[in-house]
Amino acid sequence: MRSVLALVVAAVVAMLLQTTVFAAIPRFPVVPNLMLVLAVYLGVRHQGAGGVVGAFLLGYFLDTFSGTVLGLHAFALTVVYAAVYLIARNLWMRGRLPVMVVVFLAACLGELALFVLGALVAAGSPLWQHVGRYGLVEAAVTALVAPVVFAFVNRERELLGLS
């Protein structure tokens, strides 16, 4: 139960940072996707049905606050979780560099999933330009902040007596 509480608090803090603080920074058009980093954290550390549900709920939470079609981010973060789960079963994921590489690849996969599903839902929108212009930069920025998010969640777990 405390593990769920730690992730809920991390998700609320990530959502507030992502939608208000980072979005308000002038001349910085790219906002790191902290919810994606939490989905990667679930794929690395919480493998199982709870992790899948958590990734879906993170995406649904993001959909609710982003104003997009409900289910786009839920689908993308569930796909990201599944991919990271398969990677984390076979690779050592304890260092900063492996986490950053996996988060970058997961962000690229998430952008691709959003593009594919968005192209099916949004008729005639120029989605490819957005993915090409901001997708890789957002993935790189998200990868750079990933170790900080992992450290925050681990510290939160320590404070709750879970580590």
Side-chain angles (χ1 to χ4, degrees):
M1 184 65 184
R2 289 187 289 178
S3 180
V4 172
L5 177 66
L7 289 170
V8 166
V9 169
V12 169
V13 169
M15 182 60 70
L16 288 173
L17 286 173
Q18 186 171 331
T19 58
T20 58
V21 176
F22 292 146
I25 297 174
R27 299 188 331 186
F28 194 68
V30 177
V31 175
N33 192 345
L34 301 177
M35 300 303 269
L36 183 128
V37 176
L38 290 175
V40 170
Y41 179 85
L42 288 173
V44 171
R45 305 270 163 79
H46 297 277
Q47 299 172 350
V52 174
V53 171
F56 176 81
L57 290 175
L58 286 172
Y60 197 75
F61 188 43
L62 186 58
D63 281 335
T64 303
F65 283 93
S66 67
T68 61
V69 176
L70 287 178
L72 285 178
H73 289 100
F75 171 74
L77 291 186
T78 305
V79 167
V80 164
Y81 172 86
V84 170
Y85 168 76
L86 293 173
I87 291 170
R89 284 185 3 190
N90 298 315
L91 294 177
W92 181 255
M93 296 293 302
R94 295 292 178 186
R96 286 187 177 129
L97 186 61
V99 166
M100 289 172 67
V101 169
V102 168
V103 167
F104 178 77
L105 294 174
C108 290
L109 179 65
E111 287 290 328
L112 181 64
L114 283 173
F115 169 72
V116 168
L117 198 58
L120 293 174
V121 174
S125 296
L127 294 175
W128 186 248
Q129 293 172 355
H130 171 72
V131 172
R133 185 177 303 155
Y134 297 114
L136 291 176
V137 176
E138 181 180 310
V141 171
T142 301
L144 288 174
V145 300
V148 175
V149 174
F150 270 57
F152 174 79
V153 175
N154 287 334
R155 178 69 177 140
E156 189 180 24
R157 290 176 53 86
E158 287 175 10
L159 290 174
L160 292 172
L162 295 171
S163 295

